[in-house]
Amino acid sequence: PFFDTSSQKNLYYLNYLWQWQDSEAIQGQISLGGYYRRYAFRSLPIINYSVLQADLKYASMIGLAGLGEYGEPGDWFTFELIHYLTARLAWDRSENVGGILEEYTSNRFNAAGSEMLDLFFLLDNFSGQIVRGFGNYTRFDSDTPFPEMGIQGIVTEPARAHMRHLQMCRRLLGQAETKVESDPVAAERIEKWGILLDYLRLELQAKTMTEAVSSISPYGQLLGRVNQLYRQMDELVNSNRGRGMFLLEDRRMNYNPE
């Protein structure tokens, strides 16, 4: 959350903000540029509504006047919930997020609203920890796959926990599928979420594997496995073109290791 001043990165930006607010040279209003849907997420289903709620409340309290957000037609479905919550909370930060979520899941998934509400709760609490940095992530010029970022901070135990949570999401999705068997519109939306969970699983496996690659040498066998994962990701995103799930025009979405 933006207000967490134990974070050095937050303090870095807050200090600039405070200087702007105290400056007589700046007469206009200051708005917040949001990153709740990032290009660096590579259309991964990152749900972060708890941070979003806290940030917008704090931004309003300290006098920020507006909010900017990124939206793309390529992955509108993936980030639909985040776009919707951003708009609602930017308009009225006092709205109850739980109520908005219940309304959204009920309207979009009909009889499976309860299961999808639980699924989004799980994703809010772990999905953002899975996404990797995007620099050189399909090239290995040294034993450290991300030299500009250092070794990624994921070890076996967090990866196992994330995978367990993904399995819970899968069970919830299976229950949701059963409830909407006679509802083709809701069924298609839930089917899309199944694809997005597959994408998130491949991302977790690739992140775990690249951590292993960075810690041992030689790494030829592991590199082959990483490339296999990239090919699966490439096939998944390209086979779902035009469905509002993946932004394929972004160079960071090119998973083909060839």
Side-chain angles (χ1 to χ4, degrees):
F2 193 29
F3 61 76
D4 180 7
T5 52
S6 67
S7 163
Q8 289 298 307
K9 184 171 289 188
N10 279 351
L11 278 176
Y12 175 83
Y13 289 113
L14 282 169
N15 274 304
Y16 276 110
L17 172 60
W18 294 331
Q19 290 180 63
W20 294 339
Q21 288 179 321
D22 294 342
S23 171
E24 295 181 359
I26 297 179
Q27 300 299 317
Q29 294 179 323
I30 301 174
S31 296
L32 175 69
Y35 279 96
Y36 307 103
R37 175 264 181 221
R38 303 174 66 107
Y39 289 100
F41 286 168
R42 288 173 282 111
S43 299
L44 287 155
I46 307 302
I47 303 296
N48 48 19
Y49 59 77
S50 296
V51 172
L52 170 63
Q53 179 186 24
D55 282 358
L56 295 195
K57 181 173 183 178
Y58 181 66
S60 176
M61 291 174 65
I62 62 177
L64 297 184
L67 174 71
E69 180 67 312
Y70 296 99
E72 290 277 0
D75 54 13
W76 68 266
F77 180 86
T78 303
F79 297 107
E80 178 182 71
L81 173 58
I82 294 304
H83 290 319
Y84 183 61
L85 280 170
T86 299
R88 290 282 294 263
L89 293 174
W91 187 258
D92 181 2
R93 68 179 173 90
S94 67
E95 275 213 80
N96 180 274
V97 172
I100 299 174
L101 287 166
E102 288 184 18
E103 173 193 297
Y104 169 81
T105 52
S106 175
N107 287 336
R108 295 297 278 163
F109 303 100
N110 299 339
S114 177
E115 287 74 17
M116 296 305 293
L117 187 65
D118 286 345
L119 186 146
F120 291 140
F121 167 79
L122 283 172
L123 288 176
D124 181 57
N125 283 281
F126 82 95
S127 60
Q129 300 170 34
I130 291 179
V131 65
R132 293 165 293 159
F134 58 81
N136 296 326
Y137 65 86
T138 59
R139 294 177 55 219
F140 294 87
D141 299 324
S142 69
D143 280 0
T144 303
F146 308 99
E148 73 282 8
M149 298 179 68
I151 293 176
Q152 303 300 285
I154 185 169
V155 294
T156 303
E157 292 308 312
R160 289 179 62 187
H162 295 330
M163 191 60 75
R164 195 176 189 91
H165 287 155
L166 272 172
Q167 290 167 354
M168 292 174 66
C169 288
R170 266 288 173 200
R171 286 197 294 272
L172 286 166
L173 207 63
Q175 295 167 15
E177 289 170 347
T178 300
K179 286 191 172 183
V180 298
E181 286 177 341
S182 60
D183 182 348
V185 174
E188 182 186 8
R189 293 169 185 160
I190 289 171
E191 182 251 340
K192 284 184 175 182
W193 267 102
I195 294 168
L196 290 171
L197 290 181
D198 285 343
Y199 185 39
L200 194 62
R201 172 183 55 79
L202 290 168
E203 171 76 5
L204 174 58
Q205 291 174 324
K207 181 173 183 177
T208 306
M209 196 65 66
T210 51
E211 168 66 9
V213 168
S214 70
S215 62
I216 65 168
S217 183
Y219 51 76
Q221 185 174 358
L222 286 177
L223 180 56
R225 174 61 179 143
V226 172
N227 285 338
Q228 183 182 13
L229 289 168
Y230 289 147
R231 289 189 185 95
Q232 290 178 260
M233 296 171 88
D234 187 65
E235 180 180 350
L236 186 145
V237 299
N238 279 288
S239 63
N240 286 281
R241 286 178 175 271
R243 304 190 70 192
M245 301 165 66
F246 303 116
L247 184 65
L248 298 180
E249 290 76 15
D250 194 315
R251 63 176 177 81
R252 289 167 287 198
M253 294 293 295
N254 179 16
Y255 292 107
N256 192 333
E258 301 302 332

